[in-house]
Structures are given as structure tokens and as C-alpha cells.
């Protein structure tokens, strides 16, 4: 039965994928365009939006004719999934039906939640670029060829111009380049590669600033990070924290925002909030804290002689400057909130523990037996943990920001399940199991 399924899935692998992608295309086209609260910012090329997706909308989206955008978004999602699957299939050698199941899981965000392929949000492009980036970097890890690191860097450049939450991947790329250089014993020869990796955030920042100068008239990076950084710090702050600031503008801003948050029951010290689970409440009220208080109310404190974009810029600068002191002054509460936010990003302690164990297991196994299965387990679990951690520090860990790695759990599960026949098929004669099955020593 298992052999028949393996042969069938191998023979019709591409045909089954094509059918799956066709179903997704039909579903997406009949669903039409979906607009959300954040959609206007992309359509209007707002100064708070990174450049890649607004430029794409300018090129492909027409109010009365959305087919080009829908086709592109679904097309690039299917393309990225296909590239990832071929890469994994080539280097992991699982039975083909596992990759077909993984394909179904990878396209699921097109059917559920935000229905990303139909949405005017940056998620469809970010998801596609994320999968491509992971694919190239995993190939570099498998083959120890730095050309795939370069391909991954090129995709990462575009990804960071789409969503800034993936900045942590730069650190992973640096570690991967170091590992390849160590294995190849050519650190000196690869100095240029390390320089390029370190320079990438600056290249992204410069490109972002040039875009906003051209479109919005201001040479600035997208002014939205400061508001997110200070949000959890304001949530746990005490009313006396204004004293940590020396400048009158900062003190006045803190007092006004704190007072408004307290009035709206959006601070952890409010008597009606303190008995509630602070992390769940924070996640429920995050948008109200960030968008409707720190941003909306904060703008009114900056003076009436500024344009809307200038208010964004000044608010971002001010909150960035205030964030570090406020975080350090409330570090235990801030750290506790972010840790619990981090755990909720996995859906609970059990899954967080699962990924932690997989990461440690694969790291230890890799040192003894550097096989591709250990490499993919290490890299996939690292991507998952790092993404949730990066989101937890500045944003509430809702599925919109963490779904990029939902498929990783199933990949790990499929690898483990695929190993079961090999474990059962061990024979005294020393015969090797079927090549299509995972060797338990490879895990």
C-alpha cells in the first residue's frame, strides 16, 4: 500500500501540484479583491508603508479591474511554493506524497484567515519572498555554495522593502556564511560576502529613503517603528516614569499619552486591568493602544503647523528617542510581557517547547552527523523561533505576523513520520532501507 502510494505520488507529482495550484487560482479569481483597514495606506503610497508593495499596486491594480493583481499575487505564491518543494525534494528525499501534503499546507493561507492572495496587504508578496529566501538559504546550507547565499540576499533585500519584521534574517545569513566559510576554510576569500551582508540593512534603508523622497517629499526611512517599539513600554509604564526624561517635550508627551491610556483602561496598572491576564489583554487592545492612542492622540500633541507626513516623521523620531529609557526603566515587566507574547505566538508553551527541543536536538545531531535532515530541522526551527521573537518585541503575536512558518511544524512532523518505516525495517543482515525513506541516522 505504502509502496503503491509512493509510486503514484512520484509519477504524478507535478500533475497533482498543477491541479492544486489550478484550484487555488480559480478560488482566488472568484473571490475578488479584499480590502482591509491597512489597504488604503498601500493604495495611497502612504509614508508609513514600505515601498515594494505600493509600487506593485501602482503597476498592477486598477479599481475596476483587479485580475492582473490577483493573478500576480497567486502566481508568485505558487511559484515560491514550487521552488521550495523542488529544493526540499532534491535534498531530503522524502516520499513524494509528503511534499504534496506540504504543498496543501503551504497554500492554505490563500483559503483561510486573511486569504492573502485576495488581499490588498503586503502579506502575499512577503510570504512568497519569505519562502524563496528560505529556499535559497537552505540550499546554501545543503550544498555549502555561497552563490545561493547571494540569491538569498537578493530576495531578502526585496523582502525587507516589503516587511521590516524580517530583519533578523540578516543575522541568520551572516551565521550561514560563517559556517560555509568555516567548512570551506576560506574566511579571507569571503570577506566581501560578509561586508555585503552587513551592508544590506543600510542598502535597504537608503532605498527606502530615496523612495519616500520621490513619492512623499521626505528623505526618511518609513516612520512607523518608533510607535511599535514604545507601545509595550507604555503599556507597562508607571505614571511617575516621566521623571526619567530631561527634555520638556518628552515629559509632556509621556504625561499626555499615559493619561490617555489610563483613561481608556489601556495600561497594566489600571485597577480594572491588573486582575486580567495582561498578555491576552495587550493582544486584544494592541491596535487601540498603538493606532488609536499613541498615534492618533499623539499627533495632536505635536503642533498644528505640521503636515500629516511631518507629524508621522516627528512622532516616529520622538517615540524612538523615548523608547530605550522607558524600556530599561520597566525592564522586568516589559521582558515578562514580551516573553508571554512570544509564547502566545506559538499558540502555547507546548509548541514553543516543541520547537525549542527540535532546535537543540538538531544542533547536537548536526555536530555529530551533519546530514541534510539535521540541517533543515535546525534552520526551519531557527527561522520559526526568530520570527516569533522578532514580532513579540514590537507587535502583538497574532497569526497575521506569524503565519509565515505555520508549515514548518508539518515539515518536521513529516520528516519524523517518514523515518518510522526505516526504523521498523532495520534488519540484522544489515540491508539498507529503501532510498526513498529517511535514514534514522540522518535525523
Amino acid at each position: 500500500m505504502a509502496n503503491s502510494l509512493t509510486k503514484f505520488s512520484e509519477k504524478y507529482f507535478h500533475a497533482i501540484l498543477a491541479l492544486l495550484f489550478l484550484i487555488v487560482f480559480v478560488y482566488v479569481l472568484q473571490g475578488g479583491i479584499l480590502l482591509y483597514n491597512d489597504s488604503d495606506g498601500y493604495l495611497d503610497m502612504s509614508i508609513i508603508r514600505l515601498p515594494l508593495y505600493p509600487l506593485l499596486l501602482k503597476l498592477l491594480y486598477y479599481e475596476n479591474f483587479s485580475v492582473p493583481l490577483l493573478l500576480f499575487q497567486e502566481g508568485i505564491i505558487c511559484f515560491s511554493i514550487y521552488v521550495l518543494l523542488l529544493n526540499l525534494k532534491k535534498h531530503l528525499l522524502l516520499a513524494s506524497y509528503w511534499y504534496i501534503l506540504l504543498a496543501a499546507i503551504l497554500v492554505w493561507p490563500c483559503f483561510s484567515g486573511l486569504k492573502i492572495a485576495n488581499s490588498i496587504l503586503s502579506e502575499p508578496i512577503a510570504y512568497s519572498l519569505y519562502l524563496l529566501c528560505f529556499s535559497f538559504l537552505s540550499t546554501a546550507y545543503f550544498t555549502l555554495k555561497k552563490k545561493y547565499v547571494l540569491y538569498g540576499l537578493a530576495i531578502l533585500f526585496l523582502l525587507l522593502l516589503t516587511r521590516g519584521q524580517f530583519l533578523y534574517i540578516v543575522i541568520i545569513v551572516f551565521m550561514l556564511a560563517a559556517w560555509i566559510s568555516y567548512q570551506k576554510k576560506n574566511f579571507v576569500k569571503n570577506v566581501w560576502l560578509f561586508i555585503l551582508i552587513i551592508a544590506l540593512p543600510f542598502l535597504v534603508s537608503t532605498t527606502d529613503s530615496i523612495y519616500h523622497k520621490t513619492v512623499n517629499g521626505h528623505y526618511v526611512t518609513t516612520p512607523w517603528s518608533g510607535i511599535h517599539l514604545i507601545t509595550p513600554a507604555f503599556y507597562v509604564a508607571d505614571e511617575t516614569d516621566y521623571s526619567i526624561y530631561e527634555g520638556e517635550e518628552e515629559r509632556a508627551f509621556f504625561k499626555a499619552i499615559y493619561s490617555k491610556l489610563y483613561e481608556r483602561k489601556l495600561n497594566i496598572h489600571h485597577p480594572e486591568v491588573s486582575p486580567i491576564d495582561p498578555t491576552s489583554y495587550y493582544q486584544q487592545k494592541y491596535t487601540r493602544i498603538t493606532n488609536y492612542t499613541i498615534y492618533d492622540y499623539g499627533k495632536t500633541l505635536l503642533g498644528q503647523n505640521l503636515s500629516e507626513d511631518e507629524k508621522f516623521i516627528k512622532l516616529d523620531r520622538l517615540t524612538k528617542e523615548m523608547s530605550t529609557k522607558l524600556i530599561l526603566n520597566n525592564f522586568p515587566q516589559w521582558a515578562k510581557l514580551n516573553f508571554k507574547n512570544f509564547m502566545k505566538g506559538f499558540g502555547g508553551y507546548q509548541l514553543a517547547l516543541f520547537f525549542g527541543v527540535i532546535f537543540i536536538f538538531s544542533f547536537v545531531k548536526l555536530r555529530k552527523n551533519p546530514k541534510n535532515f539535521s540541517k533543515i530541522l535546525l534552520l526551519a526551527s531557527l527561522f520559526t523561533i526568530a520570527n516569533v521573537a522578532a514580532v513579540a518585541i514590537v507587535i502583538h503575536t497574532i497569526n497575521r505576523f506569524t503565519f509565515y512558518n505555520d508549515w514548518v511544524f508539518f515539515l518536521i512532523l513529516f520528516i519524523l513520520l517518514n523515518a518510522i518505516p526505516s526504523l521498523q525495517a532495520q534488519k540484522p543482515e544489515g540491508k539498507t532501507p529503501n532510498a526513498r525513506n529517511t535514514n534514522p541516522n540522518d535525523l
Side-chain angles (χ1 to χ4, degrees), residues 80-151:
S80 64
I81 291 172
Y82 183 70
V83 170
L84 176 62
L85 290 174
L86 288 188
N87 171 46
L88 295 177
K89 193 170 186 291
K90 178 180 179 181
H91 293 101
L92 296 185
L93 301 179
L94 300 177
S96 293
Y97 53 80
W98 294 121
Y99 298 109
I100 294 170
L101 288 173
L102 187 62
I105 292 162
L106 284 162
V107 300
W108 186 244
C110 295
F111 295 93
S112 67
L114 291 173
K115 300 183 178 180
I116 60 171
N118 294 90
S119 303
I120 293 191
L121 294 171
S122 60
E123 275 75 2
I125 306 306
Y127 185 56
S128 306
L129 293 173
Y130 186 79
L131 295 181
L132 287 172
C133 185
F134 181 87
S135 180
F136 284 127
L137 294 180
S138 60
T139 302
Y141 202 14
F142 293 144
T143 64
L144 300 181
K145 293 181 179 178
K146 60 178 178 283
K147 71 176 182 179
Y148 293 109
V149 177
L150 291 175
Y151 298 157

Side-chain angles (χ1 to χ4, degrees), residues 343-408:
M343 288 297 175
K344 283 183 177 290
F346 290 99
Y349 288 92
Q350 294 86 351
L351 271 179
L353 179 62
F354 171 81
F355 281 106
V357 169
I358 290 295
F359 176 78
I360 295 171
F361 167 79
S362 55
F363 180 78
V364 172
K365 195 69 176 177
L366 188 64
R367 296 182 63 185
K368 297 179 180 179
N369 194 10
K371 300 295 185 179
N372 284 350
F373 288 102
S374 299
K375 289 181 179 181
I376 198 65
L377 290 176
L378 179 69
L379 192 63
S381 58
L382 177 59
F383 263 73
T384 303
I385 294 168
N387 184 59
V388 177
V391 172
I393 292 173
V394 292
I395 318 175
H396 52 331
T397 50
I398 58 173
N399 188 249
R400 179 183 172 186
F401 306 118
T402 61
F403 79 94
Y404 297 92
N405 294 296
D406 285 352
W407 57 276
V408 170

Side-chain angles (χ1 to χ4, degrees), residues 417-431:
L417 289 174
N418 195 78
I420 292 175
S422 295
L423 295 170
Q424 293 176 338
Q426 292 184 38
K427 299 178 181 179
E429 298 89 345
K431 292 182 180 180

